[in-house]
Amino acid sequence: MVQYNFKKITVVPPGKDFIDIILSRTQRQTPTVVHKGYAINRIRQFYMRKVRYTQQNFYEKLSTIIDEFPRLDDIHPFYGDLLHVLYNKDHYKLALGQINTARNIVAKISKDYLRLLKYGDTLYRCKCLKVAALGRMCTVIKRISPSLAYLEQIRQHMARLPSIDPNTRTILICGYPNVGKSSFMNKVTRADVDVQPYAFTTKSLFVGHADYKYLRYQVIDTPGILDRPFEDRNIIEMCSITALAHLRAAVLFFLDISGSCGYTIAQQAALFHSIKSLFMNKPLVIVCNKTDLQPLDGLSEEDMKLVMEMKSEAMKTIPQGGDPSEEGVLLTMSALTDEGVMAVKNAACERLLEQRVEIKMKSKKINDCLNRFHVAMPKPRDNRERPTCIPEAVLEAQAVAAAKEKKKLERDLENENGGAGVYSVSLKKHYILANDEWKEDILPEILDGHNVADFLDPDILERCEELEREEGLRLEEAAAQDAFMIDGHDELTKEQREILGQIRKKKAMLIQEHRMKKRTAESRPIVPRKFDKDRKFTTKRMGRQLSSMGVDPSAAVSRVRSQSRGRKRERSLSRAEGDDMEIDGQHSNKKLRTRSRSKSRPIEEVAPGEGFKDSAQKKKAIKKSRDSVKNRNKEARRGEADRVIPTLKPKHLFSGKRGNGKTSRR
C-alpha cells in the first residue's frame, strides 16, 4: 500500500491568476447593489461582507497549499531526503513559510479594515476602505508570486515521481551506468524502462512489480553511480544513494564482467567497496551480467580475485543468525539470452523473505502469535521408514460423506414446492424455543386490551408514582418553608423555632396528603369547603391547636383572614385613595398585592416527560414547528391536507371601469 500520493496535490495558480480567481469569486458570491439611501448599518455590512469574504477565500486557498504539500520532517526519511536532493529543503521550507506569512498578513489586514469599516460614516468612506483592504491583500499575494511559481514547479515534478512504498518488500538494483540494470528490470517486471547503449539513460528512479510465491515485490531501478566522493556526486547519483540508504530492500549489485559498459572490473569493485557501508544488514546479491560476451570462468586471475573479494564482503553483510551458505550471493546472468534472469530474481526474493521472517521472529509481536500455532517436528528414533498411513475407517467415512446428498438449500426447497411465488420461505423455523410446535404460533400484539410491551416491566408505573411522590414531597417542603414566613423570625427563641418547625412540617404533610387524595381520586367530585361536615380546615380549629402548643393564635388567624380578603380590598380601593399614594412626591402606579400569584412556566423550560435534553433543544424544536406551519398559515390553509386553490383574481375587483377618485379604495 502506497503511503504517499503526490499526484493529489492541488494546482498552485500563479500570483496574477490567484488574485483574479479570488476577486471574481467575491464579485459573484456577494451582493453588488448598494445605494446611498440605505441605512448606514446596511452600507457597513455590505462592504464588511466583501472584505471578510475575500479574506476567507485567500485564507482557505493558502491553507490548502500549506496543508497538501508534504512536511519533510513528518514523512518517511526516504522521501524527506529524496525531496531534499531534488529541490533543496531550505528553499522548499522558505517558500512554504512565505505562503504562511502571507496568510497571516491577509488575516491581519482584514481584521484592521473591518474595525475601520465598523465606524464608517458614509458610503464613500466605506467604499474607499473596502478598496484599500482588497488592494493590500492583492499586493501581499503579488509579493509571493515567485514562491507560488516555485511551488507549482515542485508540484509538477512531484506528480511525476514514482509511487514507492518504503515499507513493502523491495528489490533494489544498483551499479555502474550501462551495466544492464534497466534490461533486467524490463525482463522481470512489466515496466517499460528506456534502454540505450550509452551511460545515464536512466536519470531517475523507476518502479516495477514482480510476483514470487504469491507475494508482490517492488523492484526499483536506480540511476548509475560513479566512484567518486559524495560531495562530487550529482542529483541523479544522489537519488540512488538515497534509495540505498533508507529502503530496507534486497540489493542487486550488477557487475559487467565483459567491460562493454566502458568501466573495468577494478573500477566497479572500487565502487562496491566505497558504498558497501550502505549494504549492511541487507540481503546482497552480486550479479555478473553479460555472460554471453564473457563467461565468468574466462576472467583473468586479477579480475577473479576482485570478484571473490566482493563475494567475501557480501557474505559479511549477512546478519547474525542468518544462513551462512554461499548460495545466492554470486550469480551470473545474461539479459540478452535470458539465461539466469529468473534465478537472480528468485534468489533475491527468497533472501529478502528469509530476512523479513527473521526480523519478525525477533520482534515482540511473535509472542502474540506463538500461542496460536505449534509445529511438531518428530525426531527419528531409528533408520526405519514410516510412510504416511490413513486408516481404512477414515477412508470409508470419507466415502460415505461424499455419497451423502448435499444439504438442501432454500432454493432447492423452493424448486421442489412450486417455485417462486408459490413457496415462501419460513423465517420462523430457526427460532430457538422450548417446544418446536410453538414456532408457527401467531405472536399476539394485544392482550386483555393492553399492549404486550406494557407487561415487560409490571412495576414501572408504581416506581414512577413513587418517584413523583417523593419529588412532590420535597418540592412541597421547600415551598412551605419559603412561603410560611413570620415577621421577626430571627428574633424567635429556640423553643419557638422548634414549634415553628413542627407547624411547617404539619402543613407540608397536610398539603402532601391533599395532593395524594386529589391524584388518586380519579373521577371523584371535589367537595366544597362549606359542605365539609368534618370541619377539618377551619381557623377556629387552627387557633385551638396553636393554643394547645402555647402559641398566641391571633397573628396567624388575622394573617389567614387578610390573605383571603386581600384581593377584595385591592379592588375596593377608590381612585382617590390610589391617587393619594405617593412616594417621594411621585404617584405610584403599583397595584397592591397581598399575596404572590403563581407564575406560569416559561415555554422553553423543559418539564419532566417531554423528551427534550435541555431548553436549547426544546427551543429548536419549537422554532422548527413554527417554521413548518408558516407557509401554510400564510396561504390561509386549514391544515396540511388543505389543497384548495382560491380564486387569484376575484371578478368583482377586476372587472368594469373605474371612475375618477375610485383608485384610493384599492
Side-chain angles (χ1 to χ4, degrees):
M1 178 181 175
V2 179
Q3 291 180 327
Y4 308 104
N5 187 3
F6 300 135
K7 296 178 177 62
K8 291 185 177 180
I9 301 176
T10 310
V11 177
V12 181
K16 188 174 181 303
D17 295 346
F18 201 114
I19 294 170
D20 293 341
I21 290 169
I22 300 301
L23 293 184
S24 62
R25 183 181 294 175
T26 302
Q27 184 71 9
R28 285 183 286 109
Q29 300 294 335
T30 57
T32 57
V33 179
V34 66
H35 299 293
K36 63 181 179 180
Y38 288 166
I40 188 62
N41 285 338
R42 186 175 177 183
I43 295 172
R44 290 171 185 161
Q45 291 297 326
F46 176 86
Y47 287 110
M48 288 172 69
R49 180 176 178 181
K50 284 186 176 293
V51 174
R52 191 181 295 112
Y53 188 79
T54 306
Q55 182 265 332
Q56 288 175 354
N57 284 329
F58 274 126
Y59 194 91
E60 291 174 2
K61 201 79 173 174
L62 295 174
S63 298
T64 302
I65 295 172
I66 294 171
D67 294 339
E68 290 188 351
F69 275 87
R71 296 186 178 184
L72 301 185
D73 298 333
D74 296 341
I75 60 177
H76 194 275
F78 163 68
Y79 272 115
D81 281 1
L82 183 62
L83 297 182
H84 173 55
V85 167
L86 296 173
Y87 317 122
N88 191 343
K89 66 179 179 181
D90 294 333
H91 294 172
Y92 177 79
K93 289 183 177 181
L94 189 62
L96 287 178
Q98 289 179 350
I99 301 295
N100 187 32
T101 304
R103 181 179 65 173
N104 296 334
I105 291 174
V106 168
K108 187 176 184 302
I109 290 172
S110 171
K111 185 177 179 181
D112 294 341
Y113 276 92
L114 286 175
R115 190 182 295 114
L116 293 174
L117 277 168
K118 190 175 181 181
Y119 298 101
D121 53 353
T122 60
L123 185 145
Y124 178 74
R125 192 182 300 274
C126 292
K127 183 176 181 180
C128 291
L129 289 171
K130 185 267 294 185
V131 172
L134 267 59
R136 289 187 62 184
M137 292 180 193
C138 296
T139 303
V140 172
I141 300 302
K142 284 181 181 178
R143 289 177 180 172
I144 62 170
S145 294
S147 297
L148 294 173
Y150 172 72
L151 289 174
E152 173 60 16
Q153 292 296 323
I154 288 181
R155 185 200 67 81
Q156 293 177 5
H157 194 279
M158 289 173 65
R160 295 192 292 268
L161 287 178
S163 298
I164 299 174
D165 187 356
N167 300 315
T168 191
R169 294 168 293 274
T170 307
I171 298 174
L172 200 61
I173 308 171
C174 67
Y176 255 96
N178 204 22
V179 295
K181 301 187 296 297
S182 299
S183 300
F184 175 78
M185 176 86 167
N186 291 338
K187 294 290 183 181
V188 299
T189 68
R190 290 190 293 271
D192 187 14
V193 184
D194 187 21
V195 178
Q196 297 295 339
Y198 50 82
F200 288 108
T201 308
T202 304
K203 297 181 180 180
S204 62
L205 300 176
F206 283 89
V207 179
H209 294 85
D211 293 332
Y212 178 72
K213 288 187 177 180
Y214 304 102
L215 294 175
R216 179 62 56 91
Y217 286 78
Q218 182 177 249
V219 184
I220 300 178
D221 181 18
T222 64
I225 309 173
L226 299 178
D227 183 20
R228 53 185 176 181
F230 276 95
E231 56 270 11
D232 295 339
R233 289 193 169 106
N234 56 23
I235 295 176
I236 298 176
E237 294 175 88
M238 289 305 297
C239 291
S240 301
I241 298 297
T242 303
L244 285 169
H246 292 290
L247 294 178
R248 289 193 308 170
V251 180
L252 299 179
F253 186 84
F254 270 63
L255 193 67
D256 184 1
I257 58 176
S258 68
S260 62
C261 64
Y263 304 97
T264 63
I265 294 180
Q267 290 176 317
Q268 298 179 56
L271 172 65
F272 177 84
H273 290 295
S274 66
I275 62 173
K276 66 181 180 181
S277 60
L278 300 175
F279 303 150
M280 294 305 297
N281 296 324
K282 294 178 184 176
L284 177 61
V285 178
I286 299 174
V287 181
C288 297
N289 194 16
K290 303 183 182 180
T291 55
D292 56 323
L293 299 178
Q294 173 65 52
L296 183 62
D297 300 336
L299 291 177
S300 62
E301 294 182 1
E302 295 180 359
D303 291 343
M304 183 60 72
K305 183 179 180 181
L306 293 174
V307 173
M308 290 297 110
E309 288 179 0
M310 294 168 60
K311 181 179 178 181
S312 62
E313 290 291 339
M315 293 291 295
K316 294 179 182 179
T317 61
I318 299 176
Q320 295 181 359
D323 185 8
S325 63
E326 298 182 2
E327 296 181 1
V329 176
L330 180 64
L331 299 174
T332 58
M333 62 163 275
S334 173
L336 183 64
T337 61
D338 292 347
E339 181 184 354
V341 172
M342 288 297 111
V344 171
K345 184 196 100 170
N346 295 342
C349 294
E350 189 66 34
R351 292 198 60 190
L352 179 63
L353 196 61
E354 290 176 0
Q355 189 206 36
R356 290 174 67 91
V357 171
E358 182 181 353
I359 292 174
K360 288 183 179 178
M361 290 295 291
K362 291 179 180 179
S363 65
K364 295 181 180 179
K365 293 183 179 179
I366 192 64
N367 297 327
D368 300 334
C369 303
L370 286 178
N371 58 355
R372 301 182 189 175
F373 57 86
H374 173 69
V375 180
M377 299 295 292
K379 295 182 179 180
R381 60 178 180 270
D382 51 23
N383 295 328
R384 182 179 179 183
E385 293 184 1
R386 292 180 174 83
T388 57
C389 178
I390 302 176
E392 295 183 359
V394 175
L395 296 175
E396 292 177 0
Q398 290 179 350
V400 171
K404 284 185 177 180
E405 293 183 1
K406 62 178 182 179
K407 182 181 179 181
K408 287 188 177 181
L409 305 176
E410 290 293 339
R411 180 177 294 177
D412 301 333
L413 295 175
E414 183 182 40
N415 295 332
E416 291 177 2
N417 292 283
V422 178
Y423 173 78
S424 60
V425 179
S426 176
L427 301 177
K428 300 179 180 179
K429 62 183 181 181
H430 297 298
Y431 284 1
I432 302 174
L433 300 175
N435 192 347
D436 292 339
E437 296 178 356
W438 297 348
K439 290 183 179 180
E440 299 299 331
D441 291 349
I442 299 174
L443 296 176
E445 296 182 357
I446 302 298
L447 181 64
D448 296 336
H450 297 284
N451 195 335
V452 175
D454 294 339
F455 293 90
L456 295 177
D457 190 357
D459 300 330
I460 186 66
L461 294 177
E462 295 180 7
R463 294 176 182 175
C464 289
E465 287 182 0
E466 270 185 332
L467 289 174
E468 291 179 0
R469 195 180 304 124
E470 183 178 353
E471 183 180 4
L473 181 61
R474 292 180 179 176
L475 291 176
E476 293 301 332
E477 288 180 358
Q481 291 179 2
D482 293 340
F484 191 83
M485 298 294 296
I486 297 179
D487 296 334
H489 175 66
D490 297 333
E491 301 176 358
L492 297 177
T493 61
K494 184 176 180 181
E495 296 179 357
Q496 291 175 339
R497 289 181 183 177
E498 293 178 357
I499 296 172
L500 180 60
Q502 293 178 5
I503 295 172
R504 288 178 177 174
K505 186 175 180 181
K506 180 69 175 179
K507 183 178 180 181
M509 294 298 295
L510 291 174
I511 293 173
Q512 183 62 24
E513 183 181 357
H514 174 69
R515 293 280 176 92
M516 290 295 299
K517 287 182 179 179
K518 188 175 180 181
R519 185 180 300 159
T520 57
E522 294 181 355
S523 60
R524 187 180 65 191
I526 299 174
V527 181
R529 179 172 289 184
K530 65 180 180 178
F531 298 110
D532 184 15
K533 296 181 181 180
D534 297 336
R535 307 291 289 174
K536 291 184 178 180
F537 311 105
T538 59
T539 53
K540 292 182 180 179
R541 181 173 181 179
M542 182 181 70
R544 289 198 300 270
Q545 289 181 351
L546 291 175
S547 300
S548 64
M549 288 188 276
V551 180
D552 185 11
S554 58
V557 173
S558 62
R559 185 170 182 273
V560 173
R561 289 175 178 172
S562 65
Q563 285 184 352
S564 62
R565 293 196 298 268
R567 192 171 294 277
K568 288 186 178 180
R569 285 212 312 266
E570 181 186 342
R571 292 197 194 98
S572 63
L573 284 172
S574 63
R575 184 176 294 274
E577 291 174 349
D579 292 339
D580 291 340
M581 294 178 64
E582 294 185 3
I583 302 174
D584 295 337
Q586 297 180 358
H587 290 281
S588 176
N589 295 327
K590 295 181 180 178
K591 295 181 180 179
L592 291 175
R593 294 187 181 179
T594 56
R595 62 178 177 179
S596 60
R597 297 185 182 180
S598 61
K599 296 181 180 179
S600 60
R601 180 167 54 85
I603 190 171
E604 65 273 6
E605 184 179 335
V606 180
E610 286 184 342
F612 295 108
K613 183 173 64 175
D614 52 12
S615 59
Q617 190 181 28
K618 186 174 181 181
K619 279 184 182 179
K620 192 173 181 180
I622 293 171
K623 186 177 182 302
K624 284 188 176 181
S625 65
R626 289 175 179 170
D627 292 343
S628 64
V629 300
K630 186 182 295 183
N631 293 332
R632 190 188 75 195
N633 294 342
K634 189 182 295 185
E635 296 173 359
R637 303 286 186 187
R638 293 184 178 179
E640 295 179 357
D642 189 0
R643 296 291 183 268
V644 177
I645 302 175
T647 305
L648 299 179
K649 292 185 178 182
K651 187 176 180 182
H652 69 280
L653 289 178
F654 294 92
S655 63
K657 294 182 179 180
R658 292 177 294 160
N660 293 332
K662 295 291 185 181
T663 309
S664 61
R665 69 181 178 82
R666 292 179 138 190

